[in-house]
Amino acid sequence: MSQDKAPQQFDAIIVGAGFAGLYMLHRMRQLGLKARVLEAGSGAGGTWFWNRYPGARCDIESMQYSYQFDDGLQQEWEWSERYAAQPELLRYVAHVIERFQLASDIQYNTRVERAHFDDSAARWLVETNSGERFSAQFCVMATGCLSSTNMPKFEGMADFKGAIYHTGQWPQDGVDFSALRVGVIGTGSSAIQSIPIIAEQAAHLHVFQRTPNYSVPAQNGPMDPQVAREIKANYAEYRALGKSQLLAYDLKMNHQLAANATPEEIRAECEFRWQTGGLYFYGAFADMLVSQEANDVIAQFVRDKIRAKVRDPKVADLLSPTTVFGCKRICADTGYFETFNRDNVTLVDVSKTPIERLTTAGLSVAGKIYELDAIVFATGFDAMTGSLERIDIRGRQGLPLADKWQAGPRTYLGLQTAGFPNLFTISGPGSPSVLTCMITSIEQHVDFIADAIVHLRTHGQQCMEPLLEAEDAWVEHVNEVAGGTLLNSCNSWYLGANVPGKPRVFMPYLGFPAYVEKCRQVAANGYEGFKLDVA
Ligand code: N01
């Protein structure tokens, strides 16, 4: 690191001004700590700041996908729709910043490039893209799970004369596709939300699909004021109900096993989930993600629905997934499958004949050039580890995090990794994170970190890091839990399978309530599994 100017001194540096960074800053301040948030973007909101593609919308209901740490906040904020669209989420973020007067400690347009632990001083030295340096006892990575984009490296990218976009790095001024020939690569959540809107604008839209995805109608609409009133009247109970469930939000969980249900009962339950919308399907049957037979029946129900929506049977076939339902995150859409009935939309199957290259005029598949004016990469993220590994993070004795995680991420509780004292990851790999309502998981992590810092300070200790054996045991447990389900059975980003060369390791921990209980026990036992000491 360059040494020309003394680093600015802080108790804590927080990397990222998304939901995690903002709440962490708030808690740090409450503890009387001097903290600074460093944010690469020109505004706050994290993943919602960058993902501005047409149709970007949360797939968990607004009344659940929101902060719960302050009752005043959750009572006063009024969501306009059942599922919040990206602009409304950014308005909410701005409101939170204003309400808790966070702005003065957030530094935008500041990309953290390095974070090195100084063994002798037991402090983190953080350096940014502009060469600014910060020294802090604690370094909190609030860098998000889905913030580092996955951009396939096709040959000829530089030759293409049209415009290239990635859904996860969408231009702030938006894009007008009117009268353009557009190609969308990918059929994950981002594509499924943006395709119906792009299709309405474009002269012609080609969708390049490698793997079809299950999608359920979101059933979005204006927020029902009566529903909002009822939830707000008992918000604490509603939040507790959410936290008691596997994914940390209310799924209207049906505890029945599909194995014990009649075909009529299964059909009725699936129909109820289809009509209720979106991710409620995760709560359909208790064995949906553990029994192949149960999953097959539910998957067939969804395939039948797809076939009923898409007029051309060949296109319907191509759009019908054969993988385990829910193995990849279920998508929630508004008019996705119907979009393929439009005359100006063509589905191109690239499962057996991959995209070969980009040319000056477009994109080539199986020797055929598809002429395009714009290509949208809806190709997802280097999820969970990408944003951490793109920063040069080094722990004790200069050990690079990327080296330690070469064969896959290793953490204790997704919160810390051995050899990196006082470095915390909010919703890190090995925590429930992406398998939950993210804001709920974020609040739980932030509170754990804040409590741990209080513990250190009251006991005159300075450093906290996991014991290697606790970390190893946790990594094994995370794998064991995933191994007992069908979640390992497809090429999902949960496994890093979407990024060429990334180690295939199931990264998130399935089971929010069990995880919270484990964290509670760890803290109650004096931060069992962590090493706490003076330096
Ligand atoms: O990314 P994805 P996403 N050639 O990885 C394809 C959250 N999210 O941005 O399946 C051709 O799911 C790839 O194909 P395949 C949500 O958790 C939430 O859509 O790997 N195709 C796949 O179809 C979600 O799960 C919301 O064969 C290539 C697509 O690109 C997560 O973010 C909205 C390719 C990537 O799909 C990620 O979603 C949006 C290649 N070389 C996102 N490389 C809501 O809240 C990749 N693909 C609603």
Side-chain angles (χ1 to χ4, degrees):
M1 285 197 180
S2 56
Q3 299 293 323
D4 49 339
K5 204 169 152 205
Q8 300 172 56
Q9 303 291 320
F10 284 89
D11 293 315
I13 286 295
I14 301 163
V15 187
F19 282 110
L22 296 179
Y23 182 46
M24 190 76 251
L25 173 61
H26 179 61
R27 291 290 278 128
M28 291 283 191
R29 280 180 171 182
Q30 284 179 330
L31 299 180
L33 269 67
K34 188 178 169 204
R36 168 77 56 92
V37 175
L38 304 177
E39 165 58 54
S42 59
T47 197
W48 295 110
F49 175 82
W50 300 104
N51 283 270
R52 297 163 182 264
Y53 59 83
R57 181 182 296 286
C58 189
D59 56 9
I60 296 179
E61 290 163 310
S62 324
M63 296 303 288
Q64 305 207 60
Y65 189 85
S66 44
Y67 284 125
Q68 53 187 289
F69 69 84
D70 187 283
D71 191 48
L73 171 65
Q74 67 180 5
Q75 291 295 337
E76 78 202 6
W77 184 261
E78 304 212 347
W79 295 102
S80 68
E81 292 180 273
R82 184 176 173 204
Y83 297 94
Q86 178 269 345
E88 186 165 23
L89 282 157
L90 283 198
R91 286 199 293 280
Y92 176 67
V93 165
H95 173 73
V96 170
I97 291 174
E98 166 92 29
R99 190 183 206 284
F100 298 101
Q101 297 177 14
L102 301 175
S104 57
D105 289 321
I106 308 173
Q107 189 172 320
Y108 295 110
N109 302 305
T110 303
R111 182 172 288 282
V112 169
E113 291 193 331
R114 278 173 280 280
H116 291 181
F117 185 69
D118 175 352
D119 289 277
S120 57
R123 291 178 72 81
W124 283 91
L125 274 169
V126 174
E127 191 172 317
T128 71
N129 54 341
S130 65
E132 254 186 303
R133 298 192 311 140
F134 301 85
S135 166
Q137 183 184 1
F138 301 104
C139 183
V140 182
M141 291 294 168
T143 40
C145 293
L146 296 166
S147 35
S148 195
T149 53
N150 170 43
M151 193 74 179
K153 291 183 183 61
F154 296 120
E155 266 183 57
M157 298 265 281
D159 302 337
F160 180 57
K161 293 280 183 259
I164 290 181
Y165 305 100
H166 191 291
T167 46
Q169 279 180 341
W170 204 255
Q172 288 206 36
D173 296 335
V175 181
D176 182 5
F177 289 110
S178 302
L180 298 184
R181 297 162 304 171
V182 183
V184 171
I185 303 175
T187 47
S189 297
S190 304
I192 281 175
Q193 287 189 325
S194 55
I195 281 169
I197 296 171
I198 297 175
E200 280 171 14
Q201 294 177 6
H204 199 96
L205 171 64
H206 281 93
V207 175
F208 298 91
Q209 173 185 274
R210 190 163 67 181
T211 317
N213 240 316
Y214 292 102
S215 186
V216 172
Q219 313 287 18
N220 186 38
M223 173 61 74
D224 180 338
Q226 180 61 20
V227 170
R229 254 196 312 277
E230 280 168 16
I231 290 176
K232 285 185 179 182
N234 293 297
Y235 227 147
E237 266 173 49
Y238 189 56
R239 297 294 198 181
L241 173 70
K243 288 194 280 193
S244 71
Q245 301 195 24
L246 192 70
L247 308 185
Y249 58 96
D250 177 30
L251 290 166
K252 301 188 195 297
M253 189 70 206
N254 170 23
H255 295 284
Q256 194 187 9
L257 300 178
N260 296 338
T262 63
E264 293 71 36
E265 283 171 331
I266 293 178
R267 205 173 163 78
E269 186 63 34
C270 288
E271 190 60 43
F272 165 69
R273 303 279 155 182
W274 188 265
Q275 298 307 333
T276 310
L279 304 191
Y280 279 111
F281 242 104
Y282 279 115
F285 287 96
D287 51 354
M288 185 180 96
L289 287 179
V290 290
S291 153
Q292 184 68 55
E293 294 72 30
N295 196 282
D296 284 346
V297 184
I298 298 163
Q300 190 55 46
F301 173 92
V302 178
R303 280 193 292 270
D304 290 346
K305 287 286 191 189
I306 296 172
R307 292 213 167 84
K309 279 173 185 266
V310 181
R311 281 201 293 271
D312 181 334
K314 283 198 197 110
V315 176
D317 268 356
L318 280 178
L319 288 169
S320 298
T322 49
T323 45
V324 161
F325 178 69
C327 179
K328 286 186 180 176
R329 187 184 176 91
I330 301 169
C331 302
D333 73 275
T334 302
Y336 173 66
F337 293 110
E338 295 85 340
T339 299
F340 292 90
N341 294 331
R342 295 176 66 108
D343 293 338
N344 71 332
V345 176
T346 308
L347 182 65
V348 184
D349 176 18
V350 296
S351 61
K352 294 174 202 78
T353 48
I355 295 167
E356 286 156 352
R357 55 170 296 131
L358 268 59
T359 68
T360 48
L363 192 155
S364 147
V365 178
K368 176 173 174 183
I369 308 279
Y370 293 85
E371 293 194 1
L372 302 168
D373 302 305
I375 301 178
V376 175
F377 283 71
T379 45
F381 303 89
D382 183 353
M384 304 203 73
T385 53
S387 50
L388 293 167
E389 290 184 348
R390 284 177 199 188
I391 300 173
D392 173 12
I393 300 175
R394 298 186 190 203
R396 287 194 193 280
Q397 281 121 42
L399 175 68
L401 182 72
D403 285 7
K404 178 174 173 184
W405 286 6
Q406 212 167 25
R410 303 191 71 78
T411 71
Y412 182 38
L413 302 171
L415 278 158
Q416 283 207 291
T417 185
F420 296 75
N422 290 352
L423 180 82
F424 293 95
T425 48
I426 300 181
S427 60
S431 75
S433 58
V434 292
L435 294 178
T436 65
C437 173
M438 282 297 287
I439 302 186
T440 307
S441 273
I442 282 168
E443 286 186 334
Q444 188 270 345
H445 261 198
V446 167
D447 289 340
F448 184 95
I449 295 166
D451 291 349
I453 291 175
V454 170
H455 182 93
L456 285 176
R457 299 219 149 174
T458 33
H459 290 79
Q461 292 156 329
Q462 279 148 14
C463 280
M464 169 167 185
E465 69 176 292
L467 296 165
L468 204 51
E469 55 269 29
E471 179 172 296
D472 289 347
W474 183 252
V475 171
E476 204 181 313
H477 177 60
V478 172
N479 283 320
E480 218 172 65
V481 171
T485 71
L486 302 170
L487 289 170
N488 275 326
S489 68
C490 64
N491 291 325
S492 71
W493 56 260
Y494 297 139
L495 280 159
N498 61 326
V499 177
K502 192 165 172 172
R504 198 180 167 98
V505 174
F506 195 83
M507 294 181 286
Y509 179 70
L510 179 65
F512 183 76
Y515 176 83
V516 172
E517 177 53 21
K518 168 77 179 172
C519 288
R520 194 197 61 73
Q521 281 171 14
V522 163
N525 294 334
Y527 293 89
E528 192 175 25
F530 289 99
K531 190 167 61 174
L532 312 178
D533 52 29
V534 281

